[in-house]
Amino acid sequence: MRADGRLFSLEFFPPRTPEGMEKLRATRRQLAQLRPSFCSVTFGAGGSTREGTLATVLEIRGEGLEGAPHISCIGSTREGIRQVLQEYRSHGIRHLVALRGDLPSGTVDAGEFRYANELVAFIRAETGDWFHVDVAAYPECHPQARTPQQDLDNFARKVAAGANSAITQYFFNADAYWSFVDACGDRGLDVPVVPGIMPIASFTKLARFSDACGAEIPRWIRRTLEGYGDDAASIRAFGLDVVTALCASLLERGAPGLHFYTLNQAGLTSTIWQRLGL
Ligand SMILES: Cc1cc2nc3c(=O)[nH]c(=O)nc-3n(C[C@H](O)[C@H](O)[C@H](O)COP(=O)(O)OP(=O)(O)OC[C@H]3O[C@@H](n4cnc5c(N)ncnc54)[C@H](O)[C@@H]3O)c2cc1C
C-alpha cells in the first residue's frame, strides 16, 4: 500500500510455454518500475495449472515484489485446497485472490465448494489471518446472478466470511462502480473495492471477453472501436484516452486504487499509469 493508502496492482496469467515465460519476465521488468503494491497471477482461466501459477508467483517474489496467487474452488475437494494453502504458506505467500472459478464446459462434478464465500470461510478456518484475502466484485452484476440485489447479498457473504478487500470485474461505466460502492456502504460492507481496469488493445478480443464475463462496452465506445476496423494504432490511441479518463475520474472521486488486467503486456498499462502520474 502506498503512503496515501491507495493500492495499485497488476494481474498476469501464467504462460504455458518457455517463450511465454521469457516474454512475461520482460513485461515484468518494464512494469516493476511502476512499483505496484502487488502482482496477482490467475489460476485456471485458459487452462493454466496450479504449478504455473505458483512458479510465476515465486518468480515475482524473487524479483522483490509481492505476488498473490488466484485460487479457485469449483471442482476442488477440501483436502486439495488444504494442501494448496499449506504449500502457499510454506513459501511465505501471504496474499490470495479467492474465487469460485468456472467449471470447464462438459464437467459436471462441482466438487466440495459451491461458491467463493465457502472458500473464504475455509481459508479462514484453516489458516486464520495468515492470508490477506481479496475476492471478486461485479459492479455490472455477475452473469449468473438472478438480480443485482442477490449478487450484492452474495458479495456480502464473502465479506462476512472474512475477505479483506475486493477487486472488480472490469467496466467502462463508472456509474456502475459507484452505485455498487454506495450499495456496499448502505450494507455496512467496509472493505476496499478496487476497480479492475482493462486496457483496450483490440476490439475483437475485448468484445469476446466482455460477452463472456458480462462487462458492458458502452455503445459509443463499441461503435467507435468498430469504426476503426483494422486500424490498430487508432484503436490503441482511442482506448488509451478512454481508459485513462476512466481511471482519472475514479481516482478523483476516491477509488481506493486500481488493479490492471495487463494480459501480460506492459505497454498500455505503463502508458496509462504514467499519464495518471501515479
Ligand atoms: C478480479 C477477478 C479475478 C479473477 N480471476 C480468475 C482466475 O484466476 N481464474 C478463473 O478461473 N476465474 C477468475 N475470475 C473469474 C471468476 O472465477 C468468475 O467470474 C466466476 O464465474 C465467479 O467467481 P466468484 O469468485 O466471483 O464466484 P462467487 O462469488 O461464488 O459468485 C458466483 C455466482 O454465484 C452467485 N452466488 C454466490 N454465492 C451464492 C450463494 N451462497 N447462493 C446462491 N448464489 C450465490 C453469485 O451471485 C454469482 O452469480 C476472476 C474474476 C475477477 C473479477
Side-chain angles (χ1 to χ4, degrees):
M1 196 183 281
R2 299 196 167 198
D4 61 6
R6 297 188 300 183
L7 288 158
F8 295 97
S9 50
L10 306 173
E11 182 171 308
F12 302 112
F13 61 85
R16 281 190 282 174
T17 60
E19 297 75 38
M21 277 304 251
E22 202 41 60
K23 194 171 155 278
L24 177 56
R25 283 184 199 114
T27 295
R28 284 202 310 268
R29 273 196 292 279
Q30 205 177 328
L31 291 176
Q33 296 164 17
L34 308 176
R35 298 202 292 130
S37 312
F38 68 92
C39 299
S40 79
V41 181
T42 62
F43 163 68
S48 58
T49 62
R50 191 103 60 196
E51 291 72 31
T53 301
L54 177 59
T56 308
V57 166
L58 293 181
E59 282 200 12
I60 288 169
R61 285 166 52 84
E63 291 156 3
L65 295 171
E66 180 178 328
H70 294 206
I71 174 170
S72 70
C73 60
I74 198 92
S76 303
T77 61
R78 282 165 192 276
E79 188 46 36
I81 296 288
R82 181 173 292 125
Q83 283 172 16
V84 175
L85 294 175
Q86 277 166 3
E87 186 173 25
Y88 286 165
R89 204 173 162 164
S90 73
H91 286 288
I93 292 166
R94 303 214 52 165
H95 191 160
L96 300 174
V97 181
L99 304 144
R100 183 196 69 177
D102 295 301
L103 276 180
S105 58
T107 314
V108 282
D109 184 5
E112 293 180 7
F113 297 87
R114 284 169 310 157
Y115 299 108
N117 65 297
E118 296 168 14
L119 174 62
V120 176
F122 186 76
I123 293 169
R124 289 291 175 233
E126 291 284 315
T127 61
D129 287 336
W130 177 264
F131 292 108
H132 177 106
V133 178
D134 261 308
V135 291
Y138 300 87
E140 295 180 321
C141 194
H142 185 268
Q144 290 159 8
R146 284 212 196 102
T147 64
Q149 292 80 354
Q150 285 184 13
D151 208 29
L152 184 64
D153 290 343
N154 294 328
F155 177 68
R157 286 193 175 94
K158 296 194 275 197
V159 176
N164 299 100
S165 46
I167 301 169
T168 75
Q169 184 56 273
Y170 69 85
F171 56 86
F172 297 104
N173 177 359
D175 287 342
Y177 170 77
W178 291 114
S179 164
F180 183 82
V181 168
D182 288 348
C184 288
D186 292 345
R187 299 277 297 255
L189 303 177
D190 189 20
V191 294
V193 178
V194 176
I197 301 298
M198 179 65 88
I200 300 174
S202 134
F203 174 61
T204 17
K205 274 194 198 145
L206 182 71
R208 200 175 60 233
F209 282 155
S210 303
D211 285 347
C213 72
E216 191 199 23
I217 309 176
R219 181 178 159 81
W220 71 277
I221 297 180
R222 181 181 280 275
R223 297 287 286 132
T224 307
L225 290 170
E226 275 169 352
Y228 286 130
D230 294 335
D231 178 355
S234 296
I235 291 175
R236 185 186 155 89
F238 174 73
L240 278 171
D241 287 347
V242 166
V243 177
T244 308
L246 171 67
C247 294
S249 83
L250 290 166
L251 292 175
E252 206 176 291
R253 203 169 147 186
L258 299 170
H259 178 81
F260 288 89
Y261 295 107
T262 70
L263 302 182
N264 292 5
Q265 308 282 334
L268 293 172
T269 297
S270 65
T271 304
I272 296 167
W273 196 292
Q274 280 155 12
R275 282 194 187 179
L276 292 168
L278 297 177

